[in-house]
Amino acid sequence: GPGVEVRARRGYVEGRTAGASIQAGMNPALGRLIPATQLSLDLWAQPATMEATGEHNVAMMIDVLLPTAGARPNEHLAVAWSIVDMGGKDRGTGRQDLTVSPPAGAGDSYRATVQALAMLPPGHYDIRVSAQLVERNRRGGLLGDVVVPDYAKDPLSASGVFLGSIAHASGGNQLARFLAVKPTTDRTFASDESVVAAMRVYQMKQPLQPVSVHATILDRRDKVVFDN
């Protein structure tokens, strides 16, 4: 259909255990070309800020949907990721281990979220993510990507848009040091919720000029409900 952008390349990067920080054989989903599907995953990745070195902080949020049926009061969830560039070179790996439990009143499933930062130079990257619910030996994986622009070269550019609530420096929010938002992957909100949107604008062309920002919000029927 119209408006679709297709990115393609010849060949693919074969999965492998991603670095010493991830135990060998911990989760075969990380090394599979076709990800495991016993757990449902979502990935949201956006470039946020540029450092003096020319690399960029890329914010990642990984959601894992966990079934409540058969859940124990406390379970262990291992989430791992591997980032490669278009030449197949490893650009970063990571892992977080969480203790999870279904909240009171949870339905058929509940969500666990991992927040992480990656330092990447400008370019296009593949992100391979895996999750393992250890006690129940359930696995899932996904393949995503992120494009990091070169803020230092473009006359005018912007970071990704971050949605969430007002952030405070405490509370384990890794993004609080350069964004005033505690981000969420939610895109459905109640009418009484207060939602904040934030982004960073970079202007490299001299002399500096005033920048106008036009914000529009559409509902699920593509009707404009906010325009400023």
Side-chain angles (χ1 to χ4, degrees), residues 37-55:
T37 58
Q38 295 168 330
L39 295 176
S40 177
L41 279 72
D42 286 319
L43 169 67
W44 178 88
Q46 287 280 7
T49 62
M50 179 181 66
E51 299 291 339
T53 60
E55 292 191 315

Side-chain angles (χ1 to χ4, degrees), residues 181-199:
V181 173
K182 181 181 179 182
T184 177
T185 56
D186 289 338
R187 292 299 181 263
T188 301
F189 304 99
S191 58
D192 59 349
E193 286 187 83
S194 179
V195 181
V196 176
M199 70 177 183

Side-chain angles (χ1 to χ4, degrees), residues 76-91:
H76 296 91
L77 177 68
V79 180
W81 59 90
S82 173
I83 304 172
V84 297
D85 61 21
M86 293 298 95
K89 182 180 179 180
D90 287 323
R91 289 292 188 169

Side-chain angles (χ1 to χ4, degrees), residues 28 37 52 98 147 168:
T37 58
L98 294 79
V147 176
H168 302 283

Side-chain angles (χ1 to χ4, degrees), residues 49-122:
T49 62
M50 179 181 66
E51 299 291 339
T53 60
E55 292 191 315
H56 298 63
N57 288 288
V58 176
M60 296 190 298
M61 295 185 70
I62 302 165
D63 283 347
V64 185
L65 201 61
L66 304 171
T68 54
R72 304 182 184 186
N74 290 290
E75 298 181 288
H76 296 91
L77 177 68
V79 180
W81 59 90
S82 173
I83 304 172
V84 297
D85 61 21
M86 293 298 95
K89 182 180 179 180
D90 287 323
R91 289 292 188 169
T93 62
R95 171 176 169 171
Q96 288 190 27
D97 297 299
L98 294 79
T99 300
V100 297
S101 59
D108 294 336
S109 60
Y110 68 101
R111 182 175 60 183
T113 301
V114 166
Q115 184 182 111
L117 283 172
M119 290 292 295
L120 299 172

Side-chain angles (χ1 to χ4, degrees), residues 3-37:
V4 175
E5 180 181 353
V6 178
R7 302 190 186 106
R9 69 175 188 218
R10 295 182 181 275
Y12 63 90
V13 178
E14 185 173 357
R16 53 195 176 277
T17 301
S21 62
I22 299 173
Q23 297 175 4
M26 184 277 293
N27 189 350
L30 193 66
R32 294 176 55 172
L33 179 62
I34 305 300
T37 58

